[in-house]
Amino acid sequence: MAQREILIYPDPRLRHPAEPVVDFDDDLSQLVDDLIETLSVHDAIGLSATQIDDQRQVLIVDPPGEDEGPQVYINPSISAKSAWGFVEESCLSVPGVKGSVVRATRVSVSAQDATGKPFQRSVDGMHAVCLQHEMDHLAGKLFIDRFTVFGRMRARRAAKAAAAQAQSA
């Protein structure tokens, strides 16, 4: 396992849609291990492969309060959404920015595990919200894209300020 560098907004690589995984091999296993390690180091609850500059449809979700540990979703697809509400989000790729977005708090998802075995499950609460957030990354979208026009302007300013502060540190 290795910790990988997180791409930071406005890096254009964050806007590239990910490609479906077709090879379930050692390289994919290494990617999954690296995602889990990077997620752990940053004490985060979700991470997509696109955030570490790998354009495969792979994400990890590890919401607080769930005992299963990090869960791997490869080639995820949501088939149903319900229980919509405002949720506050932040993102490792957009440091210094938090904001409310509308998300479903209950989803049904189909995906594959790291061996390629398909599965379906329904998740709710933080798990559902995090899963949608990470799937947005796989589509080349960021949570700030869900803000109002003025919210996006504020988010861009805050992200630039956080980047400038990080460079001076």
Side-chain angles (χ1 to χ4, degrees), residues 82-87 103-107 123-126 128-129 132:
S82 61
W84 295 84
F86 283 98
V87 294
R103 296 264 191 208
T105 60
R106 190 171 303 126
V107 300
V123 295
D124 58 12
M126 184 62 72
V129 169
Q132 292 168 87

Side-chain angles (χ1 to χ4, degrees), residues 143-161:
F143 82 107
I144 60 174
D145 298 338
R146 295 181 175 277
F147 290 179
T148 64
V149 171
F150 295 115
R152 285 192 301 272
M153 288 171 32
R154 283 192 303 273
R156 285 186 195 112
R157 279 195 303 271
K160 286 179 184 177

Side-chain angles (χ1 to χ4, degrees), residues 103-122:
R103 296 264 191 208
T105 60
R106 190 171 303 126
V107 300
S108 296
V109 62
S110 299
Q112 292 168 280
D113 67 15
T115 67
K117 180 180 176 188
F119 65 87
Q120 295 181 345
R121 69 175 56 128
S122 293

Side-chain angles (χ1 to χ4, degrees), residues 132-147:
Q132 292 168 87
H133 176 108
E134 300 310 328
M135 286 180 69
D136 275 356
H137 277 295
L138 298 181
K141 297 179 182 176
L142 300 172
F143 82 107
I144 60 174
D145 298 338
R146 295 181 175 277
F147 290 179

Side-chain angles (χ1 to χ4, degrees), residues 38-47 60-64 91-92 130 134:
T38 305
L39 182 76
S40 175
V41 165
H42 289 280
D43 196 29
I45 64 171
L47 187 65
I60 306 293
V61 174
D62 191 12
C91 181
L92 291 173
C130 185
E134 300 310 328

Side-chain angles (χ1 to χ4, degrees), residues 12-118:
R13 294 172 290 179
L14 289 167
R15 298 302 191 167
H16 295 180
E19 297 292 326
V21 172
V22 293
D23 295 322
F24 291 82
D25 55 13
D26 290 341
D27 186 49
L28 178 66
S29 293
Q30 183 64 54
L31 171 62
V32 168
D33 288 346
D34 290 353
L35 282 166
I36 292 170
E37 175 71 16
T38 305
L39 182 76
S40 175
V41 165
H42 289 280
D43 196 29
I45 64 171
L47 187 65
S48 71
T50 54
Q51 290 177 272
I52 60 169
D53 198 22
D54 188 302
Q55 298 306 316
R56 288 179 277 181
Q57 291 184 9
V58 180
L59 64 86
I60 306 293
V61 174
D62 191 12
E66 292 189 11
D67 295 333
E68 293 90 17
Q71 296 181 41
V72 179
Y73 291 85
I74 299 175
N75 302 326
S77 174
I78 292 177
S79 58
K81 296 180 179 183
S82 61
W84 295 84
F86 283 98
V87 294
E88 184 158 307
E89 294 187 14
S90 61
C91 181
L92 291 173
S93 290
V94 191
V97 177
K98 291 182 181 181
S100 291
V101 298
V102 175
R103 296 264 191 208
T105 60
R106 190 171 303 126
V107 300
S108 296
V109 62
S110 299
Q112 292 168 280
D113 67 15
T115 67
K117 180 180 176 188

